[in-house]
Amino acid sequence: QVQLVESGGGLVQAGGSLRLSCIASRSIFSINAMGWYRQAPGKQRELVARITSGGSINYADSVKGRFTISRDNAKNTVYLQMNSLKPEDTAVYACNAIVGALDYRGQGTQVTVSS
């Protein structure tokens, strides 16, 4: 089992930056993949970025060139650096971890981008 705790959300003006952190309760070294999802009010949950244990990374088209996902295995932490934020990035951001057939999710952190 894996508990995930996100932090780093907040209120920022358009064009600003935030860095989200997701700390896992156990080593992430062998976790197949970790990612960040977001869900805005009235919208479906969408994958923002994902990084695998082998280092493969993929991003949603809407955040390519602005967001960067990374992982620090020594700290059991995955980060999401978000630059050039737009009002449409406003959402609850949550991380997840895929361990075998199991999908663990955190509670999420609110990101609000004002225009």
Side-chain angles (χ1 to χ4, degrees):
Q1 192 169 1
V2 183
Q3 281 80 45
L4 303 169
V5 178
E6 302 94 339
S7 62
L11 173 64
V12 64
Q13 288 189 332
S17 299
L18 285 172
R19 188 176 80 154
L20 306 183
S21 299
C22 172
I23 299 176
S25 59
R26 47 153 279 191
S27 171
I28 65 171
F29 181 78
S30 60
I31 291 180
N32 305 79
M34 296 190 72
W36 286 95
Y37 284 78
R38 68 184 180 186
Q39 187 164 21
K43 294 188 177 181
Q44 287 191 331
R45 180 172 174 261
E46 65 168 337
L47 176 65
V48 176
R50 175 179 291 155
I51 184 168
T52 69
S53 57
S56 297
I57 292 174
N58 58 286
Y59 296 99
D61 287 343
S62 58
V63 306
K64 282 181 181 177
R66 300 189 298 123
F67 290 11
T68 302
I69 189 171
S70 61
R71 61 193 288 168
D72 186 335
N73 291 340
K75 295 183 178 180
N76 298 336
T77 301
V78 174
Y79 302 99
L80 185 68
Q81 178 66 44
M82 306 186 296
N83 299 328
S84 302
L85 283 161
K86 304 175 181 180
E88 51 264 43
D89 294 319
T90 295
V92 175
Y93 286 70
C95 70
N96 85 314
I98 305 297
V99 182
L102 300 177
D103 183 351
Y104 298 95
R105 301 179 185 180
Q107 292 296 310
T109 184
Q110 176 70 45
V111 171
T112 303
V113 184
S114 63
S115 57

